[in-house]
Amino acid sequence: MNNYAKARAHTNIALVKYWGKINSALKLPTTSSLSLTLDQFYTDTSVQFNETLTNDQVTFNERRLNERSARRITDFLDLVRNQAGITTKAVVQTTNNVPTAAGLASSASGFAALAAAASKASGLRLNHRELSRMARRGSGSATRSIDGGFVEWHKGIGDRTSFATQVAPADYWDLNVIAILVNQQPKKMSSSEGMQLSQTTSPYYHEWEKLCQRDLKKLKIAIKNHNFNDLGNIAEENAMRMHALTLSAAPDFCYFDADSLKAMRIVHQLRESGIPCYFTMDAGPNVKVLVEPEHRESVVSTLQTAFGPDNIVVAAPGPGVQYLT
């Protein structure tokens, strides 16, 4: 057993969304999804197994977590220990370069980094598919952060067949994703709670499943052909359909705030003025804008004027999991 390992994983933005589970314990999705890994948002996590410990010790952004706050991480470590055939407790240190629980996929990068570091430190030798499956057990979207670039999460028919694979590497297409940080506070409704409520109460959920299957096929063609307008239209429409599920749930709820709507309106205005750009949103108020490099400065300038330069982050396609030790 290596005892110690450190890994970095990046967040991803889903262009065809994951929004619903057929098995909550295994985090098996109702639909396949496709995302783009981003270079600017990431999590660094180290794991050291230590025979002298009686409990796991978890530090998050330099703050020691109590047992309750660390439960989701220690439960995940139990999965790793069970697979590795060990019982040793661990010291976990995590640093997030992304706002937590704000709809910027912090759990995706967090559990992808934890899966990579913990599995290596425990002595497991997992290939990409196995590591993707393991990361999924911590957070569904983490399964897509094992790889860089464009990544598809295959819903599968069970634990062994639900994993992510790379559709195209990070250097395949020179694109930018501009994150508008309109609100970095933790959201009131978690993604897990929101998708469960949408899935069980929205009358449109089954139609959503059909549309995701269609959108996924069309998006892969757009990626293959480097067709930016098709990619943007599919991503924007798919995002709005996901959020329509939250508005049609019972009780209804919404991840937008006033600045989210303002950002969407600005993107529409930019497009009407002849600047091709498209927005997408996950389960949170922060909006991400897709744009090609030749129009990046125009879009960034407009958004900085509207929201302030400190609230605009320009990202590009990012890499998969990296081991830092």
Side-chain angles (χ1 to χ4, degrees):
M1 186 169 70
N2 290 328
N3 295 324
Y4 177 85
K6 186 174 183 180
R8 171 175 294 177
H10 292 74
T11 67
N12 66 78
I13 177 67
L15 305 178
V16 171
K17 305 296 187 186
Y18 150 55
W19 197 245
K21 306 183 187 80
I22 57 173
N23 184 310
S24 295
L26 294 175
K27 294 183 174 57
L28 302 178
T30 57
T31 65
S32 296
S33 56
L34 197 151
S35 64
L36 179 61
T37 304
L38 303 178
D39 64 351
Q40 290 299 306
F41 301 110
Y42 58 87
T43 301
D44 290 342
T45 296
S46 66
V47 176
Q48 181 165 24
F49 289 98
N50 187 330
E51 296 284 357
T52 67
L53 297 177
T54 56
N55 292 290
D56 291 317
Q57 298 177 5
V58 179
T59 300
F60 182 81
N61 287 344
E62 300 184 341
R63 182 175 68 88
R64 176 76 176 272
L65 300 185
N66 59 34
E67 185 176 350
R68 180 180 177 183
S69 299
R71 175 62 62 190
R72 195 173 170 192
I73 292 172
T74 56
D75 285 349
F76 185 83
L77 289 173
D78 286 340
L79 293 173
V80 176
R81 282 187 280 255
N82 182 61
Q83 189 165 336
I86 63 174
T87 58
T88 313
K89 301 300 182 181
V91 175
V92 178
Q93 294 186 318
T94 291
T95 303
N96 244 4
N97 186 45
V98 51
T100 302
L104 288 164
S106 60
S107 64
S109 59
F111 278 99
L114 180 61
S119 61
K120 184 177 181 181
S122 70
L124 291 173
R125 294 292 178 265
L126 304 181
N127 60 33
H128 257 52
R129 179 177 297 188
E130 293 165 338
L131 188 57
S132 177
R133 285 176 50 220
M134 177 175 283
R136 189 198 74 231
R137 299 291 299 276
S139 170
S141 55
T143 196
R144 297 187 308 244
S145 280
I146 299 302
D147 278 303
F150 292 95
V151 182
E152 179 181 358
W153 177 9
H154 309 274
K155 71 173 185 177
I157 57 173
D159 177 44
R160 291 192 173 276
T161 54
S162 184
F163 53 85
T165 58
Q166 188 179 74
V167 173
D171 60 359
Y172 176 77
W173 196 348
D174 191 6
L175 291 175
N176 287 111
V177 177
I178 304 169
I180 309 170
L181 307 180
V182 302
N183 188 332
Q184 299 186 52
Q185 297 303 309
K187 55 203 175 192
K188 294 180 180 179
M189 174 80 74
S190 73
S191 297
S192 294
E193 293 170 329
M195 65 176 66
Q196 174 68 16
L197 185 57
S198 299
Q199 185 177 346
T200 55
T201 66
S202 171
Y204 309 118
Y205 192 82
H206 291 303
E207 189 64 25
W208 155 261
E209 293 177 287
K210 295 176 187 176
L211 289 170
C212 276
Q213 186 175 5
R214 187 200 70 182
D215 288 348
L216 186 65
K217 291 178 181 177
K218 291 169 60 179
L219 183 61
K220 287 197 285 187
I221 293 171
I223 293 169
K224 180 180 179 181
N225 295 332
H226 287 84
N227 189 322
F228 178 72
N229 288 328
D230 281 357
L231 177 141
N233 274 311
I234 294 163
E236 190 170 299
E237 290 173 0
N238 188 266
M240 294 306 285
R241 289 182 182 127
M242 186 200 92
H243 287 279
L245 295 176
T246 75
L247 296 171
S248 58
D252 64 278
F253 63 102
C254 183
Y255 289 111
F256 302 162
D257 65 15
D259 279 336
S260 307
L261 297 170
K262 177 182 175 181
M264 294 180 212
R265 186 172 65 252
I266 290 172
V267 170
H268 287 150
Q269 291 169 346
L270 284 167
R271 242 185 0 248
E272 289 165 2
S273 73
I275 299 175
C277 57
Y278 300 85
F279 67 79
T280 184
M281 292 177 64
D282 281 335
N286 299 300
V287 179
K288 298 85 175 177
V289 181
L290 294 156
V291 65
E292 291 183 293
E294 58 263 38
H295 299 292
R296 179 182 60 222
E297 294 310 315
S298 295
V299 175
V300 168
S301 176
T302 301
L303 295 175
Q304 286 180 338
T305 299
F307 298 100
D310 293 341
N311 295 317
I312 305 300
V313 180
V314 181
V321 161
Q322 303 158 291
Y323 291 98
L324 303 179
T325 57

